[in-house]
C-alpha cells in the first residue's frame, strides 16, 4: 500500500492530469471498483469478505492522460492496475498491492469506421456491447460475442486474448485485432499499425495481446468488421458419446466448413443444460451448430455438416437445442439462488489442446477434479481444424468459507496439473490473471524466462499489474 | 414492500453478479464508473448488511446517484429490483437524517408550498383558463411540473378533456404534490402526509375518474397510495389511456412528418403502459411512428428522476442529451413523450435539433392544424 504522504502528493499530481473529479480516494469507490467477475471474488463478496482495494482510482479520458499517469506512477514506483469493464474471470484487475487502479471506462469512443477496409477503430474503454451496437447500426458485426459482452470492454478483450462464442468462424480477439495503440509503463505511446498481414519483423502487437496490463495499457485498437450475416441457421445433433461427437467436429472443420457455433456438451452438461428442455437419452452428448453467411453457403454448410454428423452416429434434433442455446446464451452468466446458496462456488477451466490430446485432457481433468467431490460438467466449444477448447466446469458447496476456498484451490491445482500432464494449455480465452498466475512456470517451462526478461526491460520498476500472469509477484 | 431478509438475499446475489445489466444503467453511462451502477448499489448495501463496510457519506451519495428507472430490472434474469431496494434504503437514510442537503430543501418546499419548486401554492392553477361543462365530470390532477414548469401540457390536457372529449374538467386549487419526489428519495413520512391530503380531496369530489398527465403522479396514485393503505374511490387514468379509448375522435394524420416516442420510466416500466401513447402518435402523425433503437421496456431514462437532477444536474443533462441523440438517429421530425418531467429535460437538451412535444401538446397541435385545413 502507498503511504499517506505519497498518496497525498500523488493525488495532487494526478488531479492535475485528469482533473480532480476523475481521481477518487474514497473507500467506498475503491471497494466498488475492485469488483470483478472472478467466481472466487463473487463468492467472497457473498460471504461478506472485502476484496483487495487500490489506494486511489484514476479515470483518464485520453491516451495522453494515460501516458502522464504512467509517467508519474513509474517515477514514484507506485503499482498500477489497469481496469476496463472489470468483468475478468481470473482476478486480473484486482489491485492486490494497492496503488493506482487505472480505470479506462471514460475512453469509450468509436473513432472511425472504414467501410472500404471493413475495420473499426475504437478506444479501449468501450464496452463490448456498445461497440457491437455502434457497428450494427452500420450493417456490421465485430464477430466477437463472449458471454461477458455486456460487461467487458475492448481493451480487456485484447489484454486477455478473449474469445467469443462464434470464434470458430470469426476468430478470437488475436485474429480480429489489426492494430493497437499501447502506452508503455514509462509513458511512451507506441502504435502497431493496422494491417491485414505484414512481414516487417516480429508482430509487436501480439506481445501486448494477452499481456493483461503487465506490459502497458491498451488505449485504442483497430478491429476487423464483418457484414451482418444474411442468414444464420441452427442445427443440433446428438451423439452417443464425446468421442463420436469430436470425430464429427474434426471432420466438419477439416473439410473446410466453418460453422459460427460449435459446442459439444458431454453427458453431464447435456443433462444439466439440454435435457431440461428437450427429450434426450441419458448419457447422450448434444452438439450445437450454427452457420452464418449468404443463404446458399449456409444451406450447403448445414447440409454437409448434418451428413457428417449422421455418418458418425448422431441423431438429428434439427434447430431446437442449438437455437434455444443461442437465444438464452447469456442466461448461464446470471447468479441463481442455487449457485449462490451458502458457501457455493463454481468456476470454469477453459483449457485448449490439439485433437490428438484433447480427449485425454478431458478424461484426465474430469477424474482429477471429481476426486474432490465436485460436480464436473464440460462442453467442447471454440473448435478449430487442429483442435479446440474444453470448458471444464465445476461446482462445489462447503459448510464454511475456509473449506470452500480451500476445496476450490485444490480442484484448480489438480485440474491444471492433469491438463498440463496430458498436453493441454490451461486457458483458451479467459486469461491468467491471479487464478492461474502460479501455474505459469509449469505451463511455459523454460520459455517463461523470455517473458520475464521482456517484462524487466519494458517495466523495470515493476509497476504494471504486479502479481498477475506470474509476473512481478512481491513478497 | 419487500422485507429486510428478502432485500438482504437479493443484494447478496446482485452484489456478486458479473454486471449483466450495467450497460443499460444511465448513471453508469453518465459517470463511467463502477460506483453508480446496479451492482455497485447492491454491493454497498450488502456490505452494510454484513457489517463489512458501513455506509459512509460516499456510499450514501452513490445511493442517490440512481434514477430508480428500473432499466436494470429489464435485463435481470433473477428479477432483482434494485430501484425498490435503493428506495427502501433511502428511507432509512432519511430517517437517520443523513440525506443529501439538496433534498432537504426539496422536501421543505413540498411541506411548505406543496410543490418541489418553491413556487407559491396560490399560483398552482394559474394556468387554468377554462373549464368544460360536459355531462360527465373528471378530475384533472395536473401535478407540479405541468402546473409550474410545463403549463402548456396542463392547458393542452384540460382543453382536450373538455373540448375534444366533452368532459366537465375539475381542477382543484387544493391539489398538492402527489408525493412522488418524496417517496422516490426516501421521505416517506412527509409523502404520506401529502398523500393523505390528496386522497381526502380527491375522494370528496364528485367525478367519474381522475386523469393525470404525469406518469409520476400515475404511479403514486395507483401503486404507492394503495400500498400504504390509502384508497381512492375512483379510477385513475393517464391521459394517453383516455385518448386511446377515444382515438376515433382524434384527427388522423393531421401533423406532417414522423415522430419517435420516448417511454417515460414511470409510465412504461413502472405502469406497463406502452401502446396507448404509441397508438395516439400513430393516429396523429402523417408520417407515422419511428421507434428508437432502445424502446418500450428497454427505453433509456431521460435522466430526470428520483432526485438526480436536483443533486447532479450536469449528469442528468448528459443522460438527457444521450436520449435526444438516440431520437435524432431515427431521423424523426418530432420527439414525443408523455411526461412533463421527461419533456422538460429532453426539450432543454434538444437544442432545437429535434422538436420535443408532450402527447397532449401534440393532440392540441393536431386539432389546430386540422382546423386550419
Amino acid at each position: 500500500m502507498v503511504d499517506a504522504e505519497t498518496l497525498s502528493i500523488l493525488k495532487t499530481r494526478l488531479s492535475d492530469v485528469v482533473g480532480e473529479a476523475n481521481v477518487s480516494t474514497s473507500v467506498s469507490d475503491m471497494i466498488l471498483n475492485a469488483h470483478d467477475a472472478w467466481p472466487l471474488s463473487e463468492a467472497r463478496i457473498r460471504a461478506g469478505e472485502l476484496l483487495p482495494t487500490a489506494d486511489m482510482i484514476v479515470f483518464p479520458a485520453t491516451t495522453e492522460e494515460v501516458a502522464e499517469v504512467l509517467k508519474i506512477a513509474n517515477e514514484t514506483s507506485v503499482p498500477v492496475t489497469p481496469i476496463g469493464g472489470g468483468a475478468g474471470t481470473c482476478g486480473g484487475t484486482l489491485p492486490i498491492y494497492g496503488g493506482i487502479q487505472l480505470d479506462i471506462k471514460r475512453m469509450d469512443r468509436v473513432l472511425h469506421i472504414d467501410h472500404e477496409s471493413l475495420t473499426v477503430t475504437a478506444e479501449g474503454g468501450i464496452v463490448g456491447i456498445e461497440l457491437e451496437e455502434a457497428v450494427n447500426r452500420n450493417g456490421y458485426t465485430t464477430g466477437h460475442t463472449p458471454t461477458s459482452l455486456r460487461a467487458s470492454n475492448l481493451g480487456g478483450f485484447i489484454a486477455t486474448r478473449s474469445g467469443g462464442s462464434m470464434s470458430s468462424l470469426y476468430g478470437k480477439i488475436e485474429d480480429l485485432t489489426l492494430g493497437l495503440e499501447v502506452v508503455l509503463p514509462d509513458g511512451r505511446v507506441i502504435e502497431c499499425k493496422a494491417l491485414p498481414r505484414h512481414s516487417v519483423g516480429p508482430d509487436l502487437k501480439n506481445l501486448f495481446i494477452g499481456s493483461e496490463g503487465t506490459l502497458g495499457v491498451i488505449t485504442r485498437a483497430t478491429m476487423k468488421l464483418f457484414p451482418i450475416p444474411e442468414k444464420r441457421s441452427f442445427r443440433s445433433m446428438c451423439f452417443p458419446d464425446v468421442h463420436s461427437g469430436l470425430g464429427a467436429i474434426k471432420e466438419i472443420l477439416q473439410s473446410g466448413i466453418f460453422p459460427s457455433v460449435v459446442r459439444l456438451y458431454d453427458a453431464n452438461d447435456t443433462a444439466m443444460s439440454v435435457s431440461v428442455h428437450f427429450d434426450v437419452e441419458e448419457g447422450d452428448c448434444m452438439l450445437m451448430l450454427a452457420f452464418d453467411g449468404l443463404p446458399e453457403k449456409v444451406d450447403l454448410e448445414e447440409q454437409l455438416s448434418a451428413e457428417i454428423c449422421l455418418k458418425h452416429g448422431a441423431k438429428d434434433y434439427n434447430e431446437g437445442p442449438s437455437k434455444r442455446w443461442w437465444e438464452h446464451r447469456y442466461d448461464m452468466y446470471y447468479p441463481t439462488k442455487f449457485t449462490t446458496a451458502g458457501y457455493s462456488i463454481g468456476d470454469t477451466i477453459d483449457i485448449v489442446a490439439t485433437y490428438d490430446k484433447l480427449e485425454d485432457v478431458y478424461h484426465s481433468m474430469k477424474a482429477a477434479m471429481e476426486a474432490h467431490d465436485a460436480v464436473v460438467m464440460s462442453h467442447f466449444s471454440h473448435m478449430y481444424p487442429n483442435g479446440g477448447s474444453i470448458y471444464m466446469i465445476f461446482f462445489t458447496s462447503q459448510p464454511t468459507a475456509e473449506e470452500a476456498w480451500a476445496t476450490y484451490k485444490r480442484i484448480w491445482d489438480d485440474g491444471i496439473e492433469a491438463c498440463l500432464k496430458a498436453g493441454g494449455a490451461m486457458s483458451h480465452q479467459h486469461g491468467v490473471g491471479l487464478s492461474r498466475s502460479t501455474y505459469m512456470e509449469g505451463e511455459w517451462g523454460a520459455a517463461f524466462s523470455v517473458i520475464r526478461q521482456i517484462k524487466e526491460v519494458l517495466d523495470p520498476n515493476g509497476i504494471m499489474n504486479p502479481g498477475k500472469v506470474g509476473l512481478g509477484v512481491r513478497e | 414492500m419487500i422485507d429486510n431478509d428478502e432485500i438482504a438475499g437479493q443484494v447478496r446475489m446482485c452484489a456478486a453478479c458479473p454486471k449483466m445489466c450495467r450497460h443499460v444503467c444511465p448513471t453508469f453511462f453518465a459517470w463511467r464508473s463502477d460506483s453508480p451502477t446496479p451492482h455497485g448499489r447492491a454491493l454497498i448495501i450488502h456490505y452494510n448488511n454484513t457489517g463489512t463496510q458501513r455506509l459512509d457519506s460516499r456510499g450514501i451519495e452513490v445511493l442517490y446517484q440512481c434514477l430508480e428507472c428500473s432499466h436494470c430490472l429489464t435485463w435481470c434474469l433473477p428479477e432483482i429490483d434494485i430501484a425498490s431496494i435503493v428506495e427502501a434504503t433511502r428511507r432509512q437514510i432519511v430517517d437517520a437524517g443523513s440525506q443529501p442537503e439538496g433534498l432537504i430543501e426539496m422536501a421543505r418546499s413540498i411541506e411548505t408550498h406543496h410543490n418541489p419548486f418553491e413556487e407559491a401554492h396560490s399560483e398552482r392553477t394559474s394556468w387554468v383558463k377554462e373549464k368544460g361543462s360536459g355531462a360527465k365530470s373528471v378530475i384533472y390532477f395536473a401535478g407540479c411540473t405541468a402546473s409550474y414548469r410545463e403549463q402548456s401540457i396542463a392547458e393542452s390536457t384540460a382543453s382536450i378533456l373538455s373540448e375534444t372529449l366533452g368532459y366537465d374538467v375539475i381542477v382543484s386549487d387544493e391539489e398538492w404534490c402527489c408525493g412522488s419526489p418524496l417517496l422516490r428519495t426516501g421521505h416517506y413520512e412527509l409523502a404520506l402526509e401529502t398523500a393523505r391530503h390528496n386522497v381526502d380531496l380527491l375522494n370528496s369530489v364528485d367525478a367519474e375518474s381522475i386523469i393525470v398527465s404525469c406518469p409520476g403522479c400515475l404511479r403514486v396514485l395507483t401503486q404507492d397510495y394503495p400500498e400504504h393503505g390509502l384508497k381512492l374511490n375512483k379510477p385513475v387514468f393517464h391521459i394517453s389511456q383516455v385518448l386511446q379509448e377515444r382515438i376515433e375522435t382524434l384527427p388522423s394524420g393531421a401533423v406532417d412528418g414522423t415522430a419517435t416516442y420516448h417511454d417515460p420510466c414511470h409510465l412504461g416500466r413502472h405502469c406497463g403502459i406502452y401502446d396507448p401513447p404509441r397508438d395516439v402518435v400513430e393516429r396523429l402523425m402523417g408520417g407515422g411512428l419511428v421507434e428508437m433503437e432502445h424502446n418500450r421496456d428497454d427505453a433509456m431514462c431521460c435522466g430526470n428522476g428520483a432526485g438526480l437532477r436536483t443533486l447532479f444536474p450536469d449528469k442528468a443533462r448528459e443522460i438527457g442529451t444521450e436520449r435526444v441523440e438516440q431520437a435524432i438517429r431515427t431521423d424523426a421530425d418530432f420527439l414525443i413523450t408523455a411526461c412533463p418531467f421527461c419533456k422538460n429535460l429532453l426539450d432543454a437538451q434538444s437544442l432545437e435539433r429535434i422538436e420535443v412535444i408532450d402527447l397532449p401538446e401534440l393532440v392540441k397541435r393536431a386539432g389546430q392544424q386540422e382546423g386550419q385545413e
Side-chain angles (χ1 to χ4, degrees), chain A residues 40-329:
Chain A
L40 183 59
S41 295
E42 293 171 348
R44 290 181 59 194
I45 285 173
R46 287 194 295 271
E49 295 180 15
L50 278 177
L51 303 178
T53 54
D55 295 295
M56 67 168 61
I57 314 166
V58 180
F59 298 90
T62 64
T63 300
E64 292 70 30
E65 289 182 2
V66 173
E68 287 305 310
V69 171
L70 291 194
K71 274 181 202 166
I72 293 168
N74 197 37
E75 214 178 275
T76 49
S77 294
V78 170
V80 176
T81 306
I83 182 166
T89 57
C90 306
T93 58
L94 290 175
I96 54 172
Y97 299 121
I100 298 166
Q101 210 174 26
L102 183 69
D103 191 321
I104 62 165
K105 289 186 189 73
R106 291 175 68 219
M107 300 178 67
D108 61 349
R109 292 177 301 161
V110 174
L111 300 167
H112 179 58
I113 294 178
D114 179 342
H115 298 279
E116 187 171 5
S117 312
L118 285 193
T119 66
V120 59
T121 303
E123 293 181 317
I126 191 167
V127 177
I129 196 162
E130 294 170 345
L131 179 62
E132 183 64 20
E133 285 183 353
V135 302
N136 285 170
R137 282 178 214 127
N138 289 272
Y140 307 124
T141 175
T142 61
H144 190 66
T145 56
T147 314
S148 66
L149 186 71
R150 298 175 198 163
S152 45
N153 65 1
L154 181 58
F157 290 155
I158 297 168
T160 57
R161 291 184 81 88
S162 162
S165 53
M166 298 189 290
S167 64
S168 296
L169 175 63
Y170 297 101
K172 277 184 74 210
I173 206 76
E174 62 266 32
D175 307 307
L176 300 169
T177 306
L178 299 177
L180 279 186
E181 178 188 79
V182 182
V183 182
L184 300 179
D186 61 6
R188 277 180 294 158
V189 180
I190 61 160
E191 188 191 354
C192 304
K193 202 188 293 182
L195 294 167
R197 292 280 187 271
H198 72 80
S199 172
V200 283
D203 190 10
L204 189 57
K205 73 173 183 293
N206 270 308
L207 181 62
F208 298 100
I209 298 175
S211 63
E212 300 193 25
T214 60
L215 302 179
V217 180
I218 295 163
T219 45
R220 68 174 62 171
T222 299
M223 312 300 296
K224 285 184 190 174
L225 290 176
F226 305 88
I228 291 175
E230 280 184 33
K231 183 174 180 180
R232 173 170 293 141
S233 73
F234 298 94
R235 195 68 173 254
S236 323
M237 291 281 175
C238 208
F239 292 86
D241 50 37
V242 159
H243 179 75
S244 54
L246 276 176
I249 290 172
K250 194 163 46 175
E251 191 174 332
I252 290 168
L253 289 158
Q254 290 178 350
S255 70
I257 297 169
F258 295 95
S260 52
V261 174
V262 185
R263 303 172 70 86
L264 174 67
Y265 286 61
D266 77 355
N268 281 358
D269 212 354
T270 299
M272 182 66 86
S273 311
V274 186
S275 299
V276 284
H277 307 289
F278 298 91
D279 188 14
V280 180
E281 216 165 287
E282 197 178 334
D284 275 4
C285 302
M286 186 65 76
L287 171 64
M288 302 181 189
L289 298 168
F291 304 87
D292 282 20
L294 296 170
E296 302 84 343
K297 169 184 165 283
V298 165
D299 292 346
L300 181 61
E301 286 182 341
E302 184 183 342
Q303 181 202 326
L304 293 173
S305 299
E307 285 169 11
I308 291 169
C309 290
L310 293 171
K311 194 176 79 184
H312 283 265
K315 285 175 276 190
D316 193 348
Y317 274 67
N318 298 306
E319 70 172 10
S322 179
K323 192 172 183 192
R324 191 184 187 286
W325 170 79
W326 177 257
E327 288 165 353
H328 294 267
R329 63 194 182 283

Side-chain angles (χ1 to χ4, degrees), chain B residues 107-334:
Chain B
R108 198 176 292 136
S109 174
I110 294 177
E111 189 172 21
T112 312
H113 306 293
H114 313 307
N115 69 77
F117 306 122
E118 296 188 46
E119 298 282 359
H121 180 67
S122 57
E123 294 297 310
R124 189 171 187 99
T125 51
S126 64
W127 56 270
V128 176
K129 289 178 183 158
E130 56 196 312
K131 290 185 181 181
S133 55
K136 295 177 180 175
S137 297
V138 292
I139 303 168
Y140 172 39
F141 190 94
C144 300
T145 308
S147 296
Y148 293 106
R149 295 287 181 267
E150 293 289 339
Q151 293 187 337
S152 157
I153 296 173
E155 286 168 22
S156 301
T157 306
S159 154
I160 294 160
L161 288 171
S162 61
E163 292 171 22
T164 311
L165 305 179
Y167 289 112
D168 178 18
V169 182
I170 301 164
V171 180
S172 172
D173 295 335
E174 284 309 306
E175 172 191 308
W176 285 5
C177 172
C178 68
S180 177
L182 297 169
L183 288 164
R184 307 289 82 96
T185 56
H187 299 80
Y188 267 61
E189 294 311 319
L190 190 51
L192 293 182
E193 198 180 309
T194 189
R196 279 190 284 269
H197 165 86
N198 284 327
V199 169
D200 289 345
L201 170 74
L202 295 167
N203 285 347
S204 68
V205 178
D206 184 18
E208 69 172 29
S209 59
I210 302 161
I211 314 294
V212 297
S213 52
C214 175
C217 298
L218 180 73
R219 180 183 175 194
V220 167
L221 265 59
T222 59
Q223 296 177 17
D224 293 281
Y225 285 8
E227 197 174 286
H228 292 93
L230 300 168
K231 298 249 186 317
L232 289 167
N233 61 7
K234 45 188 81 67
V236 184
F237 300 105
H238 185 255
I239 184 67
S240 64
Q241 295 173 293
V242 179
L243 290 167
Q244 187 202 39
E245 188 73 20
R246 302 279 298 277
I247 201 150
E248 76 288 348
T249 62
L250 304 178
S252 178
V255 180
D256 289 339
T258 56
T260 190
Y261 173 70
H262 165 75
D263 291 274
C265 304
H266 286 322
L267 192 64
R269 281 187 287 268
H270 296 139
C271 292
I273 297 173
Y274 297 107
D275 289 326
R278 282 181 168 74
D279 289 348
V280 175
V281 173
E282 285 273 19
R283 170 86 179 180
L284 299 175
M285 297 304 303
L289 174 71
V290 196
E291 290 287 1
M292 281 186 264
E293 194 174 323
H294 296 280
N295 59 67
R296 300 178 81 93
D297 67 352
D298 191 31
M300 184 183 188
C301 175
C302 71
N304 200 3
L308 195 88
R309 195 181 184 183
T310 306
L311 297 171
F312 309 99
D314 292 348
K315 295 299 179 184
R317 282 195 286 269
E318 263 184 58
I319 294 165
T321 300
E322 172 61 17
R323 189 58 174 158
V324 169
E325 294 295 340
Q326 293 175 10
I328 289 172
R329 279 206 292 267
T330 66
D331 287 329
D333 300 299
F334 298 92

